[in-house]
């Protein structure tokens, strides 16, 4: 294994405590570790700004090193202010262990839920005698729950792009167009409007298929007098957005209208209680209560929402039993839905910023039932 070391001394930890980031303190003493190995790429990006697809970060109380391979020599030097080690041969873990050996670190924290078994085995197999691996929980993910002003600005941008792509597409949706063609058009538009890519595979589900909460678009063509569920997200400047709207082609029946109203009321009621201090569980139970009282309790088969940011699904999860207290600066989705087999499904999802005394719904798109 050959590695090239390049040090940028003025920058130690600068990436973590840059102007638009609060200084993240990792309490090595409390964690009882000498060094922390960060392997989850979104966590690597969060801490170092590196956007490549192969990297490890080794953090100690007084050093901050990014390991990546030679495809990323130029990119890493442009994006990161920390020390960079380009590994030209062999796995990154082995290069990280070389440094661990040289610096005689003993207790190495690692992200146990975000490392492959193979990488773990490689680490374990090459660690020097006397050194040990210590699993740490979702430490960086917890830091990421509260967004900085810069992150909120990026999410806002991503949300606006997403809504604009939706609004610029729905006017051209007609019976006879396939789910896949609608999904392709939405993704084309979001990229034309500035997104790097879709945040996830766009969900377009027509008719009875809208009862599948995570339907993949198919060649099925949109008919008349049926529901159309669109769940889409953009990734812009690395940050995600997430929105669902349910449309109707033709004239909706009373049953559709009342089901739509119940889901909308659940969405509004949950948003109404989102504020710093409320628990994620309270928000979920509120949405559930509204749907239960409309006789749709059993049709609401998923949790009310999730955090988002560098990833589409982040903490906190907005689920029935979640005790996490919401804090100002968290960005979450509120997405109650009702799904009936053989009939169809309705979901209404917004991206919401938690504030001290309430919340701000970032999604500008109307929630009235859209008729095509
Ligand atoms: Zn969604
Ligand atoms: Zn979502």
């Amino acid at each position: 294994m050959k590695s090239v070391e390049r040090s940028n001394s003025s920058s130690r930890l600068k990436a973590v405590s840059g102007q638009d980031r609060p200084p993240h303190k990792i309490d090595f003493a409390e964690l009882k570790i000498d060094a922390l190995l960060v392997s989850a790429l979104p966590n690597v990006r969060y801490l170092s700004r590196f956007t490549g697809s192969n990297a490890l970060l080794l953090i100690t109380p007084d050093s901050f090193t990014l390991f990546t391979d030679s495809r990323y020599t130029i990119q890493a030097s442009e994006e990161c202010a920390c020390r960079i080690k380009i590994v030209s041969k062999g796995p990154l873990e082995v290069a990280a262990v070389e440094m661990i050996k040289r610096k005689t670190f003993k207790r190495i924290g690692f992200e146990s839920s975000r490392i492959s078994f193979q990488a773990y085995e490689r680490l374990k197999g090459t660690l020097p005698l006397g050194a040990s691996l210590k699993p740490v929980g979702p430490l960086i993910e917890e830091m990421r729950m509260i967004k900085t002003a810069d992150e909120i600005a990026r999410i806002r941008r991503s949300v606006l792009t997403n809504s604009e792509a939706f609004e610029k597409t729905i006017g051209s949706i007609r019976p006879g167009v396939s789910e896949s063609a609608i999904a392709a058009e939405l993704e084309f538009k979001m990229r034309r409007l500035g997104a790097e890519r879709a945040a996830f595979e766009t969900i377009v589900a027509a008719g009875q298929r809208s009862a599948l909460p995570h339907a993949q678009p198919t060649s099925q063509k949109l008919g008349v007098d049926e529901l159309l569920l669109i769940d889409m997200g953009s990734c812009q400047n690395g940050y995600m957005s997430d929105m669902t709207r349910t449309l109707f082609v033709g004239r909706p029946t009373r049953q559709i209208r009342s089901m739509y109203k119940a889901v909308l009321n659940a969405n509004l009621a949950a948003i109404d209680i989102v504020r710093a201090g409320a628990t994620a569980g309270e928000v979920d139970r509120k949405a559930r209560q509204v749907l239960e009282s409309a006789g749709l309790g059993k049709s609401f088969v998923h949790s009310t929402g999730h955090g988002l940011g560098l990833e589409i699904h982040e903490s906190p999860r907005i689920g029935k039993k979640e005790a996490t207290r919401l804090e100002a600066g968290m960005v979450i989705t509120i997405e109650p839905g009702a799904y009936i087999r053989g009939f169809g499904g309705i979901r209404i999802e917004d991206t919401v910023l938690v504030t001290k005394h309430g919340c701000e719904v970032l999604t500008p798109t109307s929630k009235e039932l859209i008729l095509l």
Side-chain angles (χ1 to χ4, degrees), residues 88-155:
S88 53
K89 216 173 142 196
L92 303 183
E93 295 83 30
V94 179
V97 168
E98 287 295 318
M99 180 172 279
I100 288 165
K101 272 184 197 158
R102 256 198 333 274
K103 308 272 185 185
T104 64
F105 298 137
K106 293 289 177 232
R107 300 163 305 172
I108 317 300
F110 74 103
E111 298 183 294
S112 53
S113 63
R114 308 207 61 170
I115 190 166
S116 72
F117 181 68
Q118 199 182 28
Y120 171 76
E121 289 279 281
R122 236 176 351 238
L123 267 180
K124 213 171 99 180
T126 46
L127 268 192
L129 220 63
S132 60
L133 289 170
K134 188 168 188 285
V136 298
L139 198 66
I140 315 298
E141 285 83 351
E142 274 162 23
M143 291 176 185
R144 284 171 46 198
M145 280 205 282
I146 315 278
K147 270 63 183 176
T148 64
D150 172 62
E151 290 185 291
I152 292 167
R154 287 175 191 232
I155 294 170

Side-chain angles (χ1 to χ4, degrees), residues 200 231 242-244 335 349:
F200 52 89
D231 187 351
D242 196 358
M243 171 178 82
T244 308
E335 51 179 304
E349 175 182 27

